[in-house]
Amino acid sequence: MKHYCLRTGFLCLALAVSGTQAWAADAAPAERSAAGAAARPSGPDMVTLNFVNADIEGVVKAVSEITGKNFVLDPRVKGTINIVSAKPMSRALVYEVFLSALRTQGFAAVEAQGRVVIVPEIDAKLHQSAASGAQDRGRASGDTVQTRVFKLQYESAAQLVPLLRPLIAANNTINAYPNNNTLVITDYASNLARIERIIESIDQPTGTDPIMIPLKYASALDVAQTINRLFAESAQNQASPDASLRFAVTVDARSNSILARSGDPSRLARVRQLVAMLDSPTSAAGNIHVIYLKNAEAVKLAEILRAIYTGEAAAGQTRAAAAPATAPLGQAQPQAPAGASTPGIIQADAATNSIIITAPDAIYNNLRAALEKLDVRRAQVYVEALIAEVTADKVGEFGVQWQDLTGLGKTSAQMFGGSNFGAQGGGANILGISQNPLTAGQGLNVGVIKGTISVGGAQILNIGLLIRALQTDTNANILATPTLLTLDNEEAKIVIGQNVPFITGSYAVSAAATTPTPFQTIDRKDVGLTLRIKPQISEGGTVRLQIFQEVSSVVPASSASTSGVTTNKRSVESTVLVNDGQIVVIGGLIQDEVTDTLSKIPLLGDLPLIGGLFKYNNRERKKTNLMVFLRPTLLRSAQHADSITNDRYDYIMGEQLKGRPATDMVPDFGALTLPPRQSAVPGAADKPAIVAPK
């Protein structure tokens, strides 16, 4: 038997082989190594360890002599160890006791490639481990650090991380890899064995996998609704963390089956019993079933179901477009003989938006499955139109006019005349300005007056020279953004403008008429902005839009015309394909018109240099840019529609707040504004609060 006692760096060895021979020595380190090597017998024996405040390096050397293992110490491994064994122990247990003592000091041993590396526990996970998978389990000692990979079959690896994390040392790690549902854990070998047993106990089939219950007589859709109403309290526990409270029932209409799932196996058993009782044949040839629709229109849907049932075309359809009469319900269906009616009734109740079906169970189940697929929420299309019109008009005038009216007041033969280039009575005509200077047009008017002249008893100015110069720039930026929200495949229209009367005829009373009251016939038409669209949504998200857009206005100068008013009109009618949220241009007009008018006196106006004194130039340019853009947005849910509505609501409310009168001496008398949006349910989206204005 060997007795090892290490105190303050000295090794005392006492050896007894078969209890007959013993010796002791105090040796230097070199001598201790040789003595230890010579004293270690080849066969198993018992060892007693007594280390009190022993230096770790010395204890490692002693354990290395006993176990024959090679140790590598990290420079940071410093301190003392206390190991006291009251009874002799097997040589195989020395290494385990040594590792336990190291663990109490915050150090760990990592076995790899025939050596044992002793490092601080926090760095043990960074070294290569001797065991990395299930095939290597048990190869390393209990207090050595290992990295193990656990592959789960039933449970989620990510969900097990919070459960196992408290069971692992703080300096060691646990991570989940969702791609192959595995756990990677670095910890002591003894603890990994415990973690393995825990994982095996948890990673088991739940026994609550979805069950499928085929129905033979009843409709799976009707039975599912009944079950959901009976287990309504379970539906409220869908978000509960307790899996046993979760319950879900759905339908496979193709196989007419019930699909159920629950965390409580007893609840699934009750569902099976209930379905078995409900799925029983009826004695009558057909029962009366009332189905309340959620989205579709009962009258139109009843026509479609009736056409499927009888194999005839629905109202407004041709025979070729109807369902084949040979197998209208997905199964062989004999045709009714001539003069005999098909058993069953399909009738719509428009008041309650419901459909009443009387038919045998097999036929009703097929009709019910088709009805469920047709009674779905139809998508909506929110169309934003942008009409951008930019116009720029520029006009320039320059001219010189002459006249001499001196001879008008004399009786003898006299000369008079001049150069008049403007329209008679206009602000650019020299004669019109002579009669009334207030009629002078806009711009620069410079003239030379030679007194006044009496003409017909009226005094007019004798303007001998008139120079006119004018330049005008007119820019207009018109932006209209009409928007429409409509159902898929339904036409919508918006008109913003005026209803203007147009004269279509008149009746003049002749002189011999006894009733001298003439009259006119008129026709009223909308003048302004008109937008009419009809969208059709494809499965890929593309929207087919049938568009008619018109922008019209009344010409102001034609309001007093006896022949009626004149309107400006710009319209576009087209059919386009647009992706969801894409902006597309559907029409436009780019027009540039230049008018150059030159009035001059023959010969004199052609003279070089001085010819400009006998000319009148009028140049006008009109430039129009008009573009029409559209952007459709698909709204497939109520939440999506609410988001757009709330955005527009907030925008208008903000514009109203900007337009409120300022605080001054005059009261605002309570300007009307939209009420703020309020949430009807805590945590739900804000909803407009409809209140009466004060």
Side-chain angles (χ1 to χ4, degrees), residues 112-137:
Q113 299 179 354
R115 66 180 185 275
V116 180
V117 182
I118 300 177
V119 295
E121 185 184 59
I122 194 172
D123 292 337
K125 58 181 175 291
L126 304 178
H127 292 262
Q128 182 179 359
S129 174
S132 60
Q135 69 277 8
D136 297 319
R137 67 184 63 173

Side-chain angles (χ1 to χ4, degrees), residues 53-68:
N53 294 327
D55 185 72
I56 291 180
E57 295 182 2
V59 176
V60 169
K61 293 177 181 179
V63 174
S64 177
E65 293 176 356
I66 298 173
T67 62

